[in-house]
Amino acid sequence: MDFETVMQELESLGKERTKKMYLSNGAHEPLFGVATGAMKPIDKKIKINQRLAEELYATGNYDAMYFAGIIADPKAMTESDFERWMDEAYFYVLSDYVVAVTLSETDIAQDVADKWIASGDELRMSAGWSCYCWLLGNRQDNEFAENKISAMLDSVKHSIHDSPERTKVSMNNFIYTVATSYLPLHEKAVVTAREVGIVEVKRDNKKPSSLNSYENIQKQIDKKRLGFKRKHVRC
């Protein structure tokens, strides 16, 4: 399938109700409103195609950008490619669920994520922490340096309440992911979650939300789901 055909397919799958939901969550025009699941038949036809992914991502169309992440070849992308994608990721779904997810399948994931976490830019910081969540939830525990993850937990504990709003969400998710998917630091993550407590997040045009990683971790403990690993990160 070529670029024009894919764009036509995506447009035909768009739903007004889905479009309104995406707009309310931070997406903006252009977009069609395509449900993620509806993209799977196109994905099966294309599989991996980095050239096409780049064309789609460059459109600025939310649905095309999301689909680009599904068919991208992460190992063909360089750090500068990921920086370029982040420059165009204008809200958290693109930064955390497209760019960070794609980055997590590369060998440079931790190095790039570390730079984003230290950047001071809200969406880059969010993507950096999110990338670690995708990594920890997919890769084996021995692929991570325990002292590094431990230091990251300390950083979250001391800075989460003063961090940018979207970054708070990803940092909170990091505590939860360490506790449930990275067994060497399960106990420390539980203690960290308890010490952090409720995290208040302000949202544009919506009521503030309250995050409680400790409560969510306890639910997973009760279900005996510690050590959970995903087989695949991307859809």
Side-chain angles (χ1 to χ4, degrees):
M1 298 178 75
D2 60 15
F3 170 76
E4 293 296 339
T5 303
V6 173
M7 290 299 290
Q8 290 170 7
E9 288 274 346
L10 289 173
E11 184 173 11
S12 71
L13 293 169
K15 303 292 183 183
E16 193 61 30
R17 182 176 180 181
T18 305
K19 181 176 179 177
K20 289 179 179 178
M21 179 182 70
Y22 290 164
L23 289 169
S24 70
N25 286 330
H28 60 56
E29 295 282 4
L31 77 164
F32 303 129
V34 184
T36 304
M39 295 180 178
K40 289 186 177 181
I42 316 176
D43 174 29
K44 288 181 179 179
K45 293 178 183 178
I46 298 171
K47 296 182 179 179
I48 299 297
N49 188 323
Q50 183 60 27
R51 180 193 58 77
L52 180 56
E54 291 288 0
E55 287 185 278
L56 292 168
Y57 198 84
T59 63
N61 177 296
Y62 167 70
D63 300 291
M65 295 172 81
Y66 193 98
F67 187 66
I70 295 175
I71 65 169
D73 181 359
K75 291 179 171 52
M77 296 178 70
T78 65
E79 182 174 346
S80 62
D81 291 326
F82 284 106
E83 291 291 353
R84 176 167 47 79
W85 276 36
M86 270 304 303
D87 286 340
E88 298 174 39
Y90 62 85
F91 81 124
Y92 77 93
V93 174
L94 293 173
S95 65
D96 295 14
Y97 295 94
V98 177
V99 186
V101 169
T102 307
L103 175 62
S104 73
E105 294 194 7
T106 71
D107 294 333
I108 61 174
Q110 291 192 51
D111 290 338
V112 176
D114 290 344
K115 293 177 183 178
W116 288 351
I117 287 171
S119 70
D121 175 79
E122 180 173 9
L123 287 183
R124 272 182 164 77
M125 293 168 71
S126 182
W129 288 108
S130 289
C131 184
Y132 269 96
C133 292
W134 297 117
L135 288 166
L136 291 163
N138 172 252
R139 300 190 185 187
Q140 296 304 306
D141 290 347
N142 61 13
E143 295 186 44
F144 304 92
E146 183 176 336
N147 61 341
K148 178 180 181 179
I149 304 300
S150 179
M152 292 174 73
L153 280 173
D154 291 337
S155 176
V156 171
K157 181 175 71 174
H158 294 127
S159 63
I160 187 169
H161 292 291
D162 297 319
S163 293
E165 301 306 309
R166 182 60 212 179
T167 308
K168 289 180 183 179
V169 178
S170 297
M171 294 171 91
N172 189 76
N173 289 340
F174 176 78
I175 301 173
Y176 170 85
T177 304
V178 174
T180 57
S181 294
Y182 186 66
L183 294 181
L185 290 173
H186 165 73
E187 294 297 336
K188 178 169 182 173
V190 172
V191 172
T192 300
R194 186 187 299 117
E195 291 175 338
V196 165
I198 303 296
V199 178
E200 298 291 341
V201 179
K202 298 176 183 176
R203 301 183 296 170
D204 293 339
N205 304 317
K206 293 184 179 181
K207 294 180 179 179
S209 58
S210 298
L211 307 177
N212 188 333
S213 59
Y214 181 74
E215 187 176 273
N216 290 329
I217 291 166
Q218 290 303 313
K219 290 178 182 178
Q220 296 306 306
I221 293 173
D222 293 342
K223 293 178 181 178
K224 302 186 186 305
R225 293 196 69 198
L226 298 184
F228 169 76
K229 300 285 185 180
R230 299 179 184 85
K231 290 184 178 180
H232 305 285
V233 178
R234 288 189 291 173
C235 296

